[in-house]
Amino acid sequence: MTLSYLNLVGNAELVKQLNYAMIYRLIIQQSPISRIQLAETSGLAPASITKITRQLLKKKLIKEVDIQQSTGGRPAVSIEAQFENYQVIAIQLGRTSVNIELYDFGGNSLVFQRYPLTDFTQRLAQNYLINLIELLCSEHSKKIKNLVAISVVMPGVIDSVNGIVRYTPHIDVKNWPLAEVLKNKFNVSAFVGNDVQSLALAESYFGSTQNVADSILIRVHRGVGSGVIINHQLLMNHNQSACEVGHIQVNPLGERCHCGNFGCLENQVVNAEVEKKAKRLLEQGYVSKLTPDQCDIVTICNLANQGDDLAQKLIKNAGENLGRAVAMLVNIFNPQNIVLAGEITKSPEILLDTINSALNSQSLKQLRENVSIHCSTLNDCSAIGAFALVQQSLFNGSLLMTMLEDKK
Ligand SMILES: [Zn+2]
């Protein structure tokens, strides 16, 4: 503890990195902004602002713009971020598909491609990813001015600090050093991370939780994952995993989960489970527009929105179970926002009503009064989470310094 504190105060390089990061972040978030405003907001000396902006200008990360004063007179020079000179390849590795996307530095998607995933060993999956990246680079070379980073997200336990995939449910891996492999192969910065944690980060940079410090995102898909943002930072523990919300027990009498416990949230609300329940209730004679052949989660949501009793019952049941977990999270973390993502959010009103009533009866009044629950505004099937890891390293200054020190 004492040692790391001494390291921090003694590390002039780190202070420099944090100052550059702060100025770059201010320019992105408040642009157009003048150098005087930057000095006032950041507390740095005007000479430091001049030096930092000069370097950012040289690298074409920012540009100067003339802003006409409302009082007339000479236009004042302000600064804006410039996104089109640098690109990032972001990849979402799903269980059966790979979504590969090219972004500019502003998080604008330039290319989106989806490929099937059929190779489930570490070596084959790695070769496949390298081939897909090479293909994207050659097919869209005109859109790539400077490829700065490659980022990959996937479910599982991902050590994003060391860039190692420790466990992912669909590929047989053994401490897969994916970030290092990609860095060496393509000579760019490389990042790996958990898909849902990264999506929570993306929501806080580009989505609905931009204006709050504390939020939790829960995604329901084939599993249930979550990411916790505290004071604008992704919560990470020693193992790079935190808040395994899918294995909170919500029904002690429920079926056995693959983790060994009974009645885990994941077992109650994932898409396949809701679809299985629909089939079972149809067999029991429930009258509905759903049929055993047409009862996928999207159809269930659509029919629930149209007033179908059985479809509504299924969404409410999922909402009650999600509500129990949400109430626990509110009691523990007291976030300002809870964001839901996944197909089940296509029936937002019924889902949110049920979750809110669970929250009202199962959480502390003083805590829940501050919480707003809503559905994600981002496409959870895009690779925006992978891009968010790159944004994170720009905002903490580490990638920014790598770029500024590059003599190219
Ligand atoms: Zn479980």
Side-chain angles (χ1 to χ4, degrees), residues 264-278:
C264 289
L265 176 65
E266 193 158 293
N267 272 32
Q268 309 287 316
V269 303
V270 290
N271 295 350
E273 199 54 41
V274 176
E275 291 162 6
K276 204 165 94 187
K277 247 178 238 165

Side-chain angles (χ1 to χ4, degrees), residues 6 12 23 57 78 83 86 104 129 152 206 226-227 234 268 276 296 307 311 340 378:
L6 285 174
I23 297 305
L57 276 167
S78 278
F83 296 130
Y86 295 97
D104 71 11
L129 280 182
V152 186
F206 317 109
S226 67
L234 185 59
Q268 309 287 316
K276 204 165 94 187
D296 60 284
L340 301 164
L378 300 174

Side-chain angles (χ1 to χ4, degrees), residues 11-73:
N11 193 337
E13 281 304 306
L14 181 63
V15 174
K16 182 182 168 191
Q17 173 180 324
L18 294 176
N19 286 344
Y20 273 75
M22 174 170 58
I23 297 305
Y24 182 66
R25 189 171 185 154
L26 277 173
I27 293 170
I28 286 197
Q29 291 176 336
Q30 299 191 19
S31 82
I33 182 167
S34 70
R35 286 181 176 82
I36 295 166
Q37 288 168 321
L38 279 172
E40 282 168 0
T41 315
S42 68
L44 294 183
S48 300
I49 300 294
T50 305
K51 187 178 164 199
I52 293 171
T53 51
R54 189 191 303 133
Q55 291 209 44
L56 296 175
L57 276 167
K58 199 171 143 197
K59 283 285 171 186
K60 296 188 174 161
L61 281 158
I62 58 173
K63 61 183 171 188
E64 290 183 326
V65 286
D66 288 339
I67 302 291
Q68 194 63 50
Q69 307 273 41
S70 56
T71 50

Side-chain angles (χ1 to χ4, degrees), residues 9 20 84 92 108-109 122 124 129 135 137 157 182 187 239 246 302-303 311-312 333 344 349-350 381 383 394:
V9 292
Y20 273 75
E84 64 273 22
Q92 190 197 35
N108 303 301
S109 176
Q122 180 175 313
L124 291 176
L129 280 182
L135 187 66
C137 289
V157 180
L182 295 175
N187 196 24
N239 196 28
N302 288 340
L303 286 177
Q312 289 195 348
F333 292 104
I344 200 161
E349 282 169 21
I350 301 164
C381 290
L394 283 169

Side-chain angles (χ1 to χ4, degrees), residues 247 257 259 264:
H247 297 283
C257 174
C259 74
C264 289

Side-chain angles (χ1 to χ4, degrees), residues 14 43 53 81 87 102 108 154 179 199 271 303 314 330 375 385 392:
L14 181 63
T53 51
Q87 285 74 35
L102 182 71
N108 303 301
M154 66 189 90
L199 191 65
N271 295 350
L303 286 177
L314 291 162
V330 168
C375 298
Q392 183 184 42

